[in-house]
Amino acid sequence: MTLAPIFRDTTAEITPTRSTIVNDRLLRACRRLPVDRPPVWMMRQAGRYLPEYRAVRARSDFLGMVRTPDLAAEVTIQPVELMNVDAAIIFSDILIVPNAMGMPLTVEEGVGPRFPEPLRSATDLGRLREIEPEEDLAYTLDAIRLVRRELHGRVPVIGFAGAPWTLAAYMLEGGGSASFSVAKRAMHAEPAFLHALLDKLARAVGVFLCAQVRAGAQMIQLFDSWAGALSPADYRTFALPALARAAAIARTSGAPLVVFPHGAPWMLEEVAIATKADVLGLDWRVDPVEGRRIADRLGIAVQGNLDPATLLAPPAVIRSRTRRMLRELDGPGYIANLGHGITPEVPVANARVFIDTVREYETRYEEAV
C-alpha cells in the first residue's frame, strides 16, 4: 500500500474526516464505558517486526519517514490492515520536540538517536526556542490528517509525545544512557537549570499534544520512558511537576490522555493523581492486580501490560499469558496492550496470536459502571 498518489501538490490542504468511528472500543474504554471486549493495540505497532514496514524503510531513513507525511501515514495504517488492531498510533518519535526547539538530531542504524550538541548548563537554554507546532512539526500534524482521511473512521488515531523528564535526559546526555550521570549531575549541581529546562519542555509537549488533537488525533499518550531512572524523591521534585504541567495543557484538548511512567511502578498512583490522566499505562513490571486496584480507586482506565518478550514464546505460552493478563486486568476501562513497545525480532504470527487472543476474549464488564 502506498498513499503517495492521493496527494495533489501540498499536504496543507488535507483535513481529517469527521465521520463516526466504526470501532470506538478504545474511546469507550478510556471513559470506562461498556465494551463487548477489551480494545487492543501495541506500542511501536508500526515497526520493524512487519516486513511491510521494512519495505517502506528501505526507501527512506528513519527521520525521513517521520518527516514525510505520506510515508508516516502509510506505516501508521499498516498494523490496522495487517494486525486488526483497534487503534492507529501515528508513526513518529518523541525526540522531534527538542529537535523543533533547535537541537540538531541524528538517528543512525545501530547507534540510535543522538543530539550532537547536548545541553550542558543554563547558558545553553538560550539555544532553545518555543515551538509553533503548526509550523515546526507540521509534518506530524499532516500525517495525522492523512491517516484520519484514509481510515474513514475505522479506528481511532492516537497521538503522542515524550514527557519532559525523558526529553530532558536525552537532551543533557546527548542520547540514551545506562546511568544518566550527566542529567543527574545537572539535577544535583544546577537544579534551577534543570527546572527551567523542564518548564520549557512541559509547555512544548503540552501544546504539541493539543495540536495533534486539532489535527485529528482522538487519544493522546505521554511517554515517560526514563521515569525509572530517578529515585522516588527526585521524581517527585523534578519530573512529576513538569509532567503534571504538560498533562494540564494536553487535557485542554478534550481528548482522553494516557500517561505511561515506564519503569516506575512505585509512582503509579501519584502520577495518575498529579496528571489527572484518563488512562494509566502499566509496564510489565507492574502487578496487574495492583494496577487494576489503583484504576478502580481513582475511577480511571488502565492500559497494559504484557511483557513484550512474551511474544517470542511459543503460541500456546502467548495465549496463556495473555489470558492471564486479561483475567487480572479486565474491568471497567481496560485497554489491552504490551508493557512496552513490540521488539523487531517478534514474528508477525506471534504478534497476531496476542491480538487474536484479546479479540476472542469476552469481557465480564459489558454493563456501564
Side-chain angles (χ1 to χ4, degrees), residues 284 306-314 318 338 341-343 345-346 350:
W284 74 92
L306 191 72
D307 186 343
T310 304
L311 300 190
L312 298 172
I318 298 171
L338 304 177
I342 186 171
T343 54
E345 65 272 17
V346 168
N350 287 17

Side-chain angles (χ1 to χ4, degrees), residues 4 116 190 245 248 251 260 282 325 364:
E190 295 185 83
R245 285 192 290 275
R251 289 200 317 275
F260 180 53
L282 311 180
M325 175 190 74
R364 304 188 300 272

